[in-house]
Amino acid sequence: MSTDTSTVTARPRRRPVVLTVCAVITGMAALVSCGGDGDGDEGAPTPTPTAPDTASFTGEVPSALASEAESRKAEARASASAAASSASAAASAFEASVSAEAERARAEAEKQLKNVEGRGNATNEVSMTGLPLSETNGVRALVVNITNRTDETASYAVQVDFSDADGKVVETRYVGAQDLAPGKQAHPLAISRKPPEPPLTAKIAKAQRY
């Protein structure tokens, strides 16, 4: 009988121990879950971030790539604008140089033809081609085609007369070409300052090779 009594009385003594251990473990778990003051506490749970509600956003989200693209576009526009300005300046300078050269040739041609009698020695080396008024904004202009048919470099002076319906010369223009190599051509313009109406007739009055 003593063995049975010992067995019965031993079980109640173990239960408080088990309950105490469980209580200690439960308390430690509570401390761990609530504690956040310790540095380097690897056992602490990491909070899970929650995505913002984008439905309440307005406008567009800034993009670094978009900003870079806009910057590149702005640089390209600035570069193109600078190139266009440079080209325009170069064109203006070229126009001015051509006009200056044409004026020098005109003055020299007029000078060379002053003492030329008859039609000159180069009428067979000069011809004219008219330009439509629609292409010259209503300005009467002719292309004077000069061809050096000799075997030496030569300069040319040409006089173009504009006559009315009665055959009266109402305007005279001079054009020229300097130092034209053998077989080469020049195409100066003879431009009338008279209005397009009434019609005028143009002809090569003189052409001198010198």
Side-chain angles (χ1 to χ4, degrees):
M1 270 314 271
S2 60
T3 303
D4 295 337
T5 303
S6 174
T7 302
V8 172
T9 56
R11 291 180 181 174
R13 291 179 182 177
R14 290 175 182 168
R15 289 177 183 172
V17 174
V18 173
L19 294 175
T20 303
V21 171
C22 291
V24 171
I25 293 174
T26 303
M28 291 178 64
L31 289 175
V32 170
S33 62
C34 296
D37 296 335
D39 294 334
D41 188 1
E42 297 179 356
T46 303
T48 303
T50 303
D53 183 8
T54 58
S56 62
F57 288 177
T58 58
E60 295 182 357
V61 180
S63 171
L65 293 177
S67 299
E68 178 68 15
E70 287 302 321
S71 176
R72 295 297 183 188
K73 288 180 182 178
E75 290 178 6
R77 285 194 294 267
S79 178
S81 177
S85 298
S86 177
S88 177
S92 297
F94 177 74
E95 255 182 34
S97 67
V98 169
S99 297
E101 180 62 30
E103 177 57 28
R104 284 194 295 269
R106 186 208 64 78
E108 183 62 25
E110 184 175 6
K111 175 183 175 183
Q112 292 292 330
L113 291 171
K114 271 186 178 180
N115 300 320
V116 173
E117 296 183 2
R119 299 189 62 199
N121 62 7
T123 54
N124 65 330
E125 297 175 66
V126 181
S127 64
M128 290 191 303
T129 303
L131 295 176
L133 295 177
S134 60
E135 295 182 6
T136 61
N137 199 25
V139 175
R140 185 182 289 106
L142 300 102
V143 180
V144 180
N145 305 297
I146 304 172
T147 304
N148 183 357
R149 302 187 188 280
T150 71
D151 56 1
E152 296 180 356
T153 298
S155 297
Y156 292 81
V158 181
Q159 176 183 325
V160 178
D161 287 345
F162 292 90
S163 303
D164 60 16
D166 297 328
K168 179 183 178 181
V169 176
V170 295
E171 185 179 24
T172 296
R173 304 296 293 168
Y174 298 93
V175 297
Q178 279 76 46
D179 301 325
L180 201 59
K184 297 299 182 180
Q185 294 184 331
H187 306 280
L189 291 177
I191 301 174
S192 172
R193 296 181 181 179
K194 297 292 184 180
E197 295 295 339
L200 298 177
T201 300
K203 70 175 184 179
I204 296 172
K206 294 181 180 182
Q208 183 72 12
R209 180 179 62 253
Y210 61 94

